[in-house]
Amino acid sequence: MIIDIPVGKDPIGYVWGEMVPGIGVAASNFSLAVYSHSTLGLREFEAARLRIAQINGCLFCLDWRTDRGGDKVEESFAEDVTNWRTTENFDDRTRMAAEYAEVYALDHHSLDDEFFDRMKQLYTDTEIVELSMCLGSWLAFGRLNHVLGLDAVCVLPGHTQQ
C-alpha cells in the first residue's frame, strides 16, 4: 500500500472518509447507491461488475459478490465472466453487460452506433444510463483502490484478514 495509514485505522474508512472527506464521502455514497438502487438483474449487474474487477485487478472487487436478499451468483460465475464470449451460461443481456463493461473500460472510443444498436435491442435507454453509471463507479473506485493498494488490505464482511 502506498498510503500511510495510522495504526488502528481501517484503511478504506481512513482514506475515503478522513483524508478527503469532502470527496471521499460523496464518492462512497455514489458507490453505495449503485448497489442500493440498481434495477438491473443480478446476473447482468454482476457480469458487468466482475468484468470491470477483472480488468482493474482489484482484489477486493474480485472477491466480492453482490447479495440481493440472499441471492448471489454461483461460484463458477467469475469464470463465465472471463469467458463471456463463449460461455453457454449467459443469456443475451448478461453477455451484453460483460461486453459493454469490457469495451467501456478498455476501448470506449470504439463504442459506435452499431454497438448501441445491438445494445438497444436488449436494454432500454434508462437501463443503458444506469449500467453506464455503474460501470463508471466500478472502474473509478476499483481502480483507485487497486492503484493505492487498498484492495490488498480490505476485508470483506464475514471474512478475516490473513
Side-chain angles (χ1 to χ4, degrees):
M1 184 163 56
I2 66 165
I3 303 296
D4 292 327
I5 306 297
V7 174
K9 293 281 188 175
D10 168 63
I12 288 287
Y14 179 73
V15 170
W16 284 66
E18 294 184 48
M19 288 187 83
V20 289
I23 299 170
V25 172
S28 178
N29 286 335
F30 174 49
S31 180
L32 292 171
V34 164
Y35 293 90
S36 300
H37 300 291
S38 178
T39 63
L40 298 168
L42 179 60
R43 291 181 66 77
E44 60 212 38
F45 183 90
E46 279 293 273
R49 189 196 63 75
L50 272 167
R51 190 65 196 117
I52 294 292
Q54 292 168 345
I55 291 165
N56 279 345
C58 178
L59 301 173
F60 181 84
C61 303
L62 288 165
D63 199 28
W64 175 265
R65 293 299 176 271
T66 301
D67 184 327
R68 291 206 182 146
D71 291 331
K72 292 184 178 184
V73 294
E74 62 277 8
E75 286 296 318
S76 61
F77 193 81
E79 184 177 332
D80 288 330
V81 171
T82 300
N83 301 309
W84 65 264
R85 289 174 184 84
T86 58
T87 183
E88 295 179 9
N89 297 321
F90 281 3
D91 64 15
D92 291 340
R93 282 177 60 98
T94 304
R95 190 178 318 281
M96 178 58 75
E99 179 182 358
Y100 186 36
E102 182 172 300
V103 178
Y104 185 100
L106 297 176
D107 190 18
H108 65 282
H109 292 288
S110 73
L111 291 168
D112 58 13
D113 290 341
E114 183 277 326
F115 176 87
F116 282 109
D117 286 346
R118 288 188 303 114
M119 191 160 189
K120 285 185 170 203
Q121 291 176 18
L122 301 167
Y123 286 88
T124 67
D125 287 347
T126 300
E127 290 172 324
I128 292 170
V129 170
E130 181 179 330
L131 183 54
S132 299
M133 286 187 177
C134 290
L135 293 172
S137 170
W138 298 321
L139 183 63
F141 302 140
R143 197 162 285 183
L144 177 149
N145 287 336
H146 183 69
V147 166
L148 297 180
L150 297 171
D151 63 331
V153 295
C154 293
V155 179
L156 287 171
H159 284 65
T160 56
Q161 198 163 14
Q162 298 176 17

